[in-house]
Amino acid sequence: MIVSTIEIADTCKIMLSDCEKAFRGQSDFSLIAEYPEEGKIHIADIKGPPDNGYGSICKVHLKEIARDQNIPVITGDLVKRDWNHVDLLIHFYEKHHFDVQINWKEQNGEIYWVDS
């Protein structure tokens, strides 16, 4: 497993390659985050297959980045396209100590983590 990070301007991309096949410039999983304001990281997108632990590895890495940069807050949004697997997302974020707020009627939500 190789985890790499690219930071450009106000964006951070955490990429994971599982080393099962030759790396050809494509990661197997990625988490893209933005720095919208001082003291906050916002998860913009997560891409890759579910249920293999890649998301947990990237989430732990993101928290390490936040701590290294003295950023106490990580946020993110749940959107309508997530709704076919929202229960899995709620479980995933709660497992990683995020508060999850859901608007079931509007089919959206927010996640929020504060370093303690």
Side-chain angles (χ1 to χ4, degrees), residues 34-102:
E34 301 168 340
Y35 303 98
E37 59 190 68
E38 190 171 326
K40 182 193 268 187
I41 295 175
H42 184 82
I43 299 169
D45 200 7
I46 298 175
K47 296 178 182 178
D51 298 328
N52 52 21
Y54 298 167
S56 291
I57 292 168
C58 289
K59 194 71 65 188
V60 167
H61 197 70
L62 182 64
K63 287 180 178 182
E64 289 173 2
I65 290 170
R67 288 181 177 123
D68 288 347
Q69 295 184 18
N70 236 0
I71 298 173
V73 176
I74 299 174
T75 63
D77 298 313
L78 300 175
V79 295
K80 197 171 227 168
R81 73 173 179 263
D82 295 326
W83 232 248
N84 64 340
H85 59 280
V86 72
D87 291 336
L88 292 172
L89 289 172
I90 292 168
H91 172 75
F92 172 76
Y93 285 113
E94 287 178 345
K95 177 174 77 172
H96 290 282
H97 308 288
F98 280 76
D99 288 323
V100 181
Q101 301 295 316
I102 299 291

Side-chain angles (χ1 to χ4, degrees), residues 4 13-18 23 25-30 47:
S4 57
K13 184 174 182 180
I14 301 169
M15 297 161 294
L16 184 143
S17 296
D18 64 12
F23 180 72
Q26 289 282 101
S27 58
D28 296 301
F29 194 94
S30 66
K47 296 178 182 178

